Structure formats: C-alpha cells, structure tokens
Amino acid sequence: MAVFEQKYQPYTGETTPSWSRFLILPRYAYQEIFQSRLFLAMFVVSFVYPLGSMLVLYLHHNAAALEMLRIPLKEVIPIDLDFFYYFVVVQSTFGFFLTMLIGPPLVAQDVSNNGLALYLCRPFSRFDYVLGKMLTLIILLSLITWIPGMLLFFLQTYLEGSVWLIENIRIAGAILLGSWIWIIVLALISQAISAWVKWRIAATGALLGIFFIPNAVAAVIKEIFETPWMYIFSTRSLMRTIWADLFNHSIRAELPIWSAWTALIVIAAVCCFLLFKKVKAYEIIS
C-alpha cells in the first residue's frame, strides 16, 4: 500500500495514568547519568560517611570490639545531636557536589535543542516537566541524605531502646526537615540555572558561584563592619542557620532564624518564577 493511501489511526494501546507521566523523565535521565564514571565514583564515596557512622554506633554497643581494638568507650564519638548534625552537614555537602554533576544539563539540553515542544505538545504539562526533572535530583539526593540518616536513627533506637527514641525524637524531625529543605533548594536553584544558562560549564560555574562567592564576601564584610547581615545572600549560611536551629545549636546560627526562613522562601519563589518563565513550548525571539 502506498504511503498516501494510508489513513491516520489514533493510538489505541494502553496509556500511562496522567498522574505518573512525570516519572518517565527521571527513568530516562538515570540511563544517561549512571554512564558517567565520575558520577558513579562520587555516588559510591558518598556512602562512606554513613557506613563509618554505622560502625561508630556498633562500637558504642559492643564492649568486646572496643576491648579488642583497645579503644576506651569515652574516646568513641558520642551519639548525640552533634553526631547527627554533622551527618546531615557532610551528606548535604556530598549532595551539592552530585548536583553540580547532574543538575546543570537536565533542562539545558532540552532548551538548547528546542526539545521542550516535543514534551509539551503531548498531554504533559509544564508542571509535570519541571517536577520530573527535579525528581531526578530529589531521588538521588534522598538516597544519600535523609534515608541513611533515618536508618542510623532507627539503628540507634534498636540498640538503645524505646526510651532513647522518646527522648531524642527531635533528631528524627531535624534529619528529615533539614535534609528535605536542602534537597528542594538544590533542585530549584540548579534547575533554574539549567533553564537559563544553556552552556553546561557556565551553568556549573554559576551554581558554584551562587553557593560560595556570597559566603566569602559576607565573611569579609563581617570582619570589616562587624555585621552578619550580608550572610542573608549566602544560601550556605541560610542552611547552616536552619540546621543549627533544628539541631538546637544556636551558637552556629549566623543569622536570626526568621530571616533565614524568609530568605529561603524568597529564593524558592524566584526559582519557580524563572523556571516557569523559561519552560515553554515555544519562545518568541525579538
């Protein structure tokens, strides 16, 4: 049969439920991400600290192992708020470097190749697209932050008993909330940069600059003018302040807690605006 004799026939197969269509984006993104040896190496290294923390928990409850290693119990790192605070800080730092590797090209590849129209001409909304791209980061960052953090918390509960759980339930909330805030901030900022900066190296540089330059400038201004308010422009300082509040370490807070929350909400709103401004099926270039 000649081509011109064929008639259009709509697709009659099984369709994906509309609520789950955004899941297809991380599924295909992971096929590309896990081909990178650099990413794989860093991803594996990011589990070293949780394994070390698990070993510390084990040693606290195994006198025979301590005696064999000739380590007095008082010299083993105590299991308290500080223990879990540093766990969240270290794992969040690994999360940032993983985001540097996989975040910048996620949206930029579709924008630079005019591929957004191929997504949005289908029953696939802009919200689905942004959520799917962000989910790629959210799942990976969850695997190295709050999931191992909660495993450590429940391991300690198993070893110590329910009394420890009741007395330290605040730690579980701090791990969950502190990790999720950082994950959402990283996902929003990296995707906003990716949408507007098409060149991967420039996007990675912009991500680095946003997280490190304001902190360095704020430290200099604090030394000269003795005011900490420039830290309001440092995302790292905002997160440190919130983590310090969650883990009850007010001495590490660099700003009033209300100002840190307000600044992060503003940053999130700006990133959402930039994303939905750029993620369109077509664009008029004047």
Side-chain angles (χ1 to χ4, degrees), residues 99 102-109 111-112 116 126 129-135 137 183-200 202-208 210-211 235 264-280 283:
T99 302
I102 61 178
L106 279 178
V107 178
Q109 288 178 339
V111 174
S112 58
L116 289 177
R126 287 195 291 170
Y129 177 83
V130 173
L131 182 61
K133 290 294 182 179
M134 286 182 58
L135 196 62
L137 284 168
I183 289 171
I184 292 173
V185 166
L186 279 180
L188 281 173
I189 293 179
S190 63
Q191 296 313 282
I193 291 175
S194 179
W196 284 85
V197 184
K198 300 176 183 177
W199 191 24
R200 178 173 184 163
T204 305
L207 193 59
L208 267 174
I210 286 176
F211 279 90
T235 310
L264 281 182
I265 291 171
V266 171
I267 289 172
V270 170
C271 289
C272 288
F273 172 78
L274 291 174
L275 273 171
F276 282 91
K277 186 80 175 171
K278 192 67 177 178
V279 177
K280 296 178 179 177
E283 178 178 22

Side-chain angles (χ1 to χ4, degrees), residues 196-227:
W196 284 85
V197 184
K198 300 176 183 177
W199 191 24
R200 178 173 184 163
I201 296 176
T204 305
L207 193 59
L208 267 174
I210 286 176
F211 279 90
F212 286 97
I213 293 177
N215 199 65
V217 173
V220 172
I221 291 179
K222 184 181 179 182
E223 286 294 321
I224 297 174
F225 299 102
E226 298 183 354
T227 173

Side-chain angles (χ1 to χ4, degrees), residues 127-144:
F127 178 78
D128 290 334
Y129 177 83
V130 173
L131 182 61
K133 290 294 182 179
M134 286 182 58
L135 196 62
T136 305
L137 284 168
I138 289 171
I139 293 173
L140 288 175
L141 297 182
S142 294
L143 289 174
I144 66 168

Side-chain angles (χ1 to χ4, degrees), residues 240-241 243-255:
R240 279 203 297 262
T241 300
W243 285 330
D245 181 63
L246 292 174
F247 286 92
N248 199 25
H249 290 290
S250 57
I251 193 171
R252 294 195 178 97
E254 292 166 334
L255 290 164

Side-chain angles (χ1 to χ4, degrees), residues 23 36 71 89 177 179 207:
L23 295 175
S36 167
I71 302 175
V89 171
L177 189 57
S179 299
L207 193 59

Side-chain angles (χ1 to χ4, degrees), residues 137-155:
L137 284 168
I138 289 171
I139 293 173
L140 288 175
L141 297 182
S142 294
L143 289 174
I144 66 168
T145 54
W146 66 270
I147 291 178
M150 292 306 296
L151 288 176
L152 286 176
F153 178 80
F154 286 118
L155 175 60

